[in-house]
Amino acid sequence: MTLIAAAATLGSACISTSANAQEAWPARPIRLIAPFAAGADDAKARALAAKLSARLGQPVIVENKGGAGGAIATDAVAKASPDGYTLLFAGTGYTTNPASGVKLPYDPLKDLQPIGQIGAAPLIYVGPSDSKIKTIRDLIDLARAEPGKVNFGSSGVGSMSHLGIELLAAKANVKLQHIPYKGVTPALVDMAGGGSLQLVLTTVASSMPLIKAGKLRPLAVTGPERSALLDGVPAAAEAGLPGFQIDYWWGLMGPAGMPPAVVKRLNEELNWALAQPDIRELLAREAGVPKPGTPESLGKLISLDLERWTRLIKDANIKVQ
């Protein structure tokens, strides 16, 4: 073989190797890791996965990894190859977990790449249907008259159902007594059955059956305005807590270091999916709305949320085991 022919062969091999190394994305199935078991959030993850599959031309497979408040799933994505084939269906727990001070094997601001927000929904404060507390103002007045004697339940120390009530207490400058449960559902059932709780913060979807059955009384929603699903129920901001707002949000993320072109493509397809009627309807079932936007806007939301919950936990001296 001549020197020229050898050089040509070597050049072709290099071009071929380079082309293989930079294969068009996506060239194989994508994993969407969800930090929860079956339920309302799982339905959203699977609906979104179906939309992305159709647009990307590759299966997007939902993989449930519950436990540790979402930290197990988040760590799995943080440690995955940043090639766009492993994604995270993140939620509000993404910021409440690290804010609690629990040592995590990842840095929420450095080890994952925001792709885009999926949506947001208000939470709802509920009380017993037979209680003399009929409004958030009633609850605040009672807590001021009898400090520490108003009981609230949550799904555990440092959970959103806990921190969202601690935020209310801080805003109203009152002291409430926390009773943690193994999940928010047992707290709701206990309250509905005549237990000692006066307040629980939960999702609209999980409380609606008991509200419709007359077992619970809706006191206020945490969004900036009233919800169409809860006729007559005020927003907390208009019920004695001006400027008060808590959003329960969902977002799409991946490992840090993903190629910018892949992040851009995923963001575009996510925003397309959020405009589809069936996705909007799915979110609306729990008073949620789609939140199309940029990776940067989700990153800003995460930073602000993390700052807020970290400050609250410190100021309220909350100890998470």
Side-chain angles (χ1 to χ4, degrees):
M1 181 182 292
T2 67
L3 183 60
I4 294 176
T9 301
L10 178 60
S12 296
C14 289
I15 292 171
S16 176
T17 301
S18 176
N20 289 337
Q22 298 179 20
E23 63 183 9
W25 179 92
R28 61 180 189 273
I30 297 166
R31 297 161 67 212
L32 177 57
I33 298 183
F36 39 70
D41 282 353
D42 186 59
K44 286 189 283 292
R46 293 181 185 281
L48 178 62
K51 294 295 184 189
L52 293 178
S53 295
R55 296 286 287 189
L56 296 173
Q58 289 288 345
V60 178
I61 302 166
V62 175
E63 183 178 324
N64 298 92
K65 281 185 179 292
I72 293 174
T74 304
D75 186 48
V77 176
K79 288 181 170 55
S81 174
D83 52 15
Y85 291 101
T86 306
L87 306 175
L88 175 69
F89 189 99
T92 307
Y94 185 84
T95 54
T96 57
N97 249 357
S100 68
V102 172
K103 186 173 178 58
L104 297 171
Y106 58 87
D107 185 321
L109 297 178
K110 295 179 180 179
D111 293 342
L112 289 105
Q113 164 68 52
I115 294 169
Q117 189 174 351
I118 296 167
L123 297 170
I124 183 168
Y125 294 107
V126 296
S129 58
D130 58 355
S131 170
K132 61 182 179 181
I133 299 172
K134 294 180 170 56
T135 66
I136 285 292
R137 174 52 61 189
D138 289 343
L139 183 130
I140 292 171
D141 290 344
L142 179 59
R144 285 177 178 163
E146 301 181 51
K149 291 190 177 181
V150 174
N151 299 325
F152 74 91
S154 82
S155 59
V157 177
S159 65
M160 174 58 75
S161 57
H162 174 206
L163 298 182
I165 293 183
E166 293 286 5
L167 190 66
L168 180 153
K171 181 77 172 178
N173 194 27
V174 296
K175 177 66 176 176
L176 306 176
Q177 185 64 40
H178 180 213
I179 302 176
Y181 286 72
K182 292 182 178 179
V184 75
T185 299
L188 292 175
V189 171
D190 192 18
M191 174 185 279
S196 61
L197 300 178
Q198 283 82 49
L199 186 66
V200 172
L201 176 65
T202 185
T203 63
V204 172
S206 62
S207 61
M208 191 63 78
L210 289 170
I211 290 173
K212 288 183 175 179
K215 301 284 188 180
L216 298 178
R217 173 182 288 136
L219 301 176
V221 293
T222 65
E225 56 191 25
R226 297 186 180 199
S227 168
L229 293 183
L230 294 154
D231 185 41
V233 179
E238 64 175 298
L241 297 168
F244 190 90
Q245 181 178 344
I246 300 172
D247 287 325
Y248 188 88
W249 57 265
W250 310 275
L252 187 64
M253 306 188 74
M258 292 173 62
V262 172
V263 174
K264 182 175 184 292
R265 174 77 187 281
L266 280 167
N267 176 262
E268 290 172 349
E269 301 302 357
L270 170 63
N271 287 340
W272 173 86
L274 297 179
Q276 305 313 302
D278 54 338
I279 296 293
R280 299 177 72 89
E281 181 183 343
L282 183 62
L283 292 172
R285 289 176 196 164
E286 50 188 289
V289 294
K291 292 283 187 178
T294 64
E296 292 75 20
S297 61
L298 175 57
K300 183 178 180 180
L301 169 64
I302 289 169
S303 294
L304 291 174
D305 237 21
L306 185 56
E307 179 184 351
R308 171 165 69 165
W309 299 127
T310 301
R311 185 171 60 249
L312 173 70
I313 287 170
K314 180 181 179 181
D315 292 346
N317 195 30
I318 297 169
K319 303 297 183 184
V320 181
Q321 299 300 321

